[in-house]
Amino acid sequence: MKPWKLLDTEYLVNAPWLKVAKEKCELPNGKVIDDFYTLWQPDWVLILARTAEGKWVMTEQYRHGTGKIALEFPAGIIDKGETPEQAAARELQEECGYRLDERQKTRDERPDGESGQNSLEPRASNLTYLGAYPVNPDRHRGKFHVVFIDGVVRTGSTNFDETEEIESSEMTDEELQAKMHDGTFNHPLQMAGYLKWKLSQK
């Protein structure tokens, strides 16, 4: 099996946030398709952020595509020069006011076995990159990346874009699955990202 050969591209929309192309393609059998339409949008990151108590950070915001308020995981566009992990940390702070808790309280054990004073010590970053996936393999050239961040804390500091109005909440894994079951949480790409995380736990 061979890929199609791209013969020509005409951009019908060529904007920073969306490109729509009319492509002329030759199939392996020689047949030519004069008008195969493809879409492109910037790569974005899906953020699976969980608190130390095991609750997921969730958002609610209006989505004009469906005309409804949507329950979602935090997500956002990856800026030029950013890694998905950097974008995840930035977007989580900007949209929800959460960040990775990089310090934890530990007990200082003395050589004689007695407990010393509580102290704050840096801990390893609980940030895991779970991969990049096509938005729609049929016609969409963009990708979304999945990043899991464990042990986040709320700082209360957000920085919304001019078009954003976002409310954040926390939800247990059981509550989230119930929202999937009843259709309240219905973003297919985000559900796929959650499944990828779930499989990684086995």
Side-chain angles (χ1 to χ4, degrees):
M1 186 175 296
K2 297 180 180 179
W4 295 1
K5 183 184 297 183
L6 180 61
L7 302 178
D8 188 49
T9 300
E10 177 188 357
Y11 284 103
L12 307 179
V13 177
N14 193 0
W17 304 109
L18 176 68
K19 299 183 190 300
V20 180
K22 177 183 177 182
E23 298 182 347
K24 183 176 181 180
C25 304
E26 181 182 338
L27 278 59
N29 62 10
K31 178 179 175 60
V32 173
I33 299 176
D34 292 314
D35 56 352
F36 192 91
Y37 297 92
T38 59
L39 303 173
W40 172 91
Q41 289 176 291
D43 285 5
W44 55 278
V45 61
L46 170 63
I47 308 155
L48 306 179
R50 192 172 63 175
T51 67
E53 294 74 32
K55 293 186 176 182
W56 295 108
V57 177
M58 307 298 298
T59 65
E60 284 188 293
Q61 59 184 310
Y62 174 75
R63 292 303 193 186
H64 194 55
T66 58
K68 297 179 179 180
I69 306 297
L71 176 67
E72 300 175 349
F73 288 113
I77 299 297
I78 301 174
D79 289 342
K80 185 176 181 179
E82 276 188 323
T83 66
E85 295 91 336
Q86 290 169 337
R90 175 183 55 77
E91 287 285 352
L92 184 64
Q93 177 72 61
E94 292 178 356
E95 289 192 354
C96 306
Y98 283 78
R99 61 172 174 79
L100 181 63
D101 184 9
E102 296 180 342
R103 297 172 71 84
Q104 63 179 341
K105 259 189 177 181
T106 60
R107 298 294 291 183
D108 175 23
E109 296 295 335
R110 296 177 182 172
D112 58 6
E114 295 180 6
S115 296
Q117 298 295 319
N118 286 337
S119 62
L120 288 174
E121 296 179 356
R123 71 175 180 180
S125 175
N126 293 329
L127 191 151
T128 306
Y129 180 71
L130 296 176
Y133 306 94
V135 173
N136 180 347
D138 181 35
R139 294 181 182 273
H140 204 295
R141 295 279 162 73
K143 296 179 294 184
F144 74 102
H145 302 252
V146 183
V147 173
F148 171 58
I149 310 178
D150 202 17
V152 299
V153 293
R154 189 164 198 167
T155 66
S157 175
T158 56
N159 185 21
F160 297 149
D161 292 338
E162 291 181 357
T163 59
E164 290 180 326
E165 183 181 358
I166 303 172
E167 294 183 2
S168 300
S169 61
E170 296 179 3
M171 194 172 291
T172 66
D173 199 55
E174 292 75 15
E175 290 169 336
L176 175 60
Q177 291 188 30
K179 295 295 185 183
M180 292 182 184
H181 183 69
D182 67 19
T184 304
F185 181 93
N186 57 12
H187 193 309
L189 299 181
Q190 293 205 359
M191 293 172 74
Y194 171 81
L195 176 61
K196 177 64 179 179
W197 171 81
K198 202 75 173 175
L199 294 173
S200 74
Q201 302 305 294
K202 295 183 177 181

